[in-house]
Amino acid sequence: MITMIKNFFYFTATVLNWKHLLKADKYKDVLINSFKYLVDKEKVRIFAFVIMPNHFHSVWKINENIEKSDFQRDFMKYTAQKILNDLKRNQIEVYKSLYVGAKDRNYQFWERKPLSVPLYTRKVVEQKINYIHANPVRPNWNLADEPQDYKYSSAKFYYEGIDEFGFLENYMDI
């Protein structure tokens, strides 16, 4: 019998036009700090993630009292504003390249319509987590030799039992 799980999602967001704007650790840290805050406020439980130069993936469980669309919108808006404000102060040309002139915003950091896929079984959760952890070692990225060697990933938590971020949970505990 397959056990169904609730409110688990595989989530992926990409930087506008696939620009490699998450290369800088300070921008990856915006995401990390947001993850920490959301876990501390019990809005989400994070089971896996990786932050790549132009996108990130996560496996998370959103609190049942929170609308998924509201949670994701707020997360994306907050992280975008933090990064855009820094770019405006420190890299004005990069900031200007993110001009979109839309009716609801002048500048945009994330592509619209991030991918959010419900995960109903442990098997699918494991597939997504394995995919996430393999991302930095793929030949097209080559960011690390082993998944657990890439700093901005939950791989070390699963491979070595070390949670350097202080917010990760093992999906098997659910």
Side-chain angles (χ1 to χ4, degrees):
M1 182 173 150
I2 296 175
T3 303
M4 300 299 280
I5 53 179
K6 289 175 53 180
N7 290 357
F8 264 67
F9 295 94
Y10 169 74
F11 184 81
T12 299
T14 305
V15 175
L16 187 68
N17 298 322
W18 291 81
K19 292 181 181 199
H20 285 222
L21 299 182
L22 294 173
K23 273 179 100 169
D25 287 354
K26 68 180 177 176
Y27 299 139
K28 290 187 209 79
D29 289 338
V30 167
L31 297 178
I32 295 295
N33 292 331
S34 295
F35 289 159
K36 284 180 187 174
Y37 174 83
L38 293 167
V39 168
D40 288 347
K41 295 296 182 186
E42 299 181 357
K43 293 179 183 274
V44 70
R45 297 167 80 177
I46 299 177
F47 301 99
F49 76 93
V50 66
I51 304 171
M52 301 297 286
N54 64 359
H55 67 284
F56 79 93
H57 303 290
S58 63
V59 171
W60 55 28
K61 184 178 193 294
I62 299 169
N63 183 313
E64 292 176 17
N65 299 326
I66 299 170
E67 275 298 316
K68 177 187 79 144
S69 59
D70 293 343
F71 171 83
Q72 292 173 176
R73 179 202 61 227
D74 293 349
F75 176 81
M76 300 300 286
K77 183 177 179 180
Y78 175 80
T79 55
Q81 288 176 342
K82 290 289 280 185
I83 295 170
L84 285 170
N85 286 337
D86 185 83
L87 289 169
K88 187 176 182 180
R89 283 191 311 276
N90 299 305
Q91 297 183 56
I92 192 67
E93 292 306 315
V94 174
Y95 175 76
K96 287 178 181 177
S97 76
L98 297 171
Y99 180 81
V100 293
K103 67 179 179 181
D104 65 337
R105 71 193 71 193
N106 286 323
Y107 294 87
Q108 184 172 324
F109 185 78
W110 299 111
E111 289 281 351
R112 291 196 184 258
K113 299 184 181 176
L115 178 67
S116 184
V117 178
L119 305 176
Y120 295 111
T121 67
R122 286 186 188 255
K123 180 179 179 184
V124 176
V125 170
E126 289 169 2
Q127 289 171 340
K128 293 302 183 187
I129 290 174
N130 289 335
Y131 173 80
I132 286 170
H133 291 159
N135 220 336
V137 299
R138 287 196 172 86
N140 58 319
W141 290 111
N142 203 28
L143 298 173
D145 292 330
E146 299 293 331
Q148 64 271 26
D149 296 337
Y150 184 63
K151 179 179 176 181
Y152 288 96
S153 166
S154 55
K156 188 177 275 192
F157 177 68
Y158 284 95
Y159 284 77
E160 300 175 9
I162 299 169
D163 179 6
E164 294 179 332
F165 305 101
F167 59 74
L168 291 167
E169 289 187 58
N170 191 317
Y171 74 95
M172 292 297 289
D173 295 338
I174 301 299

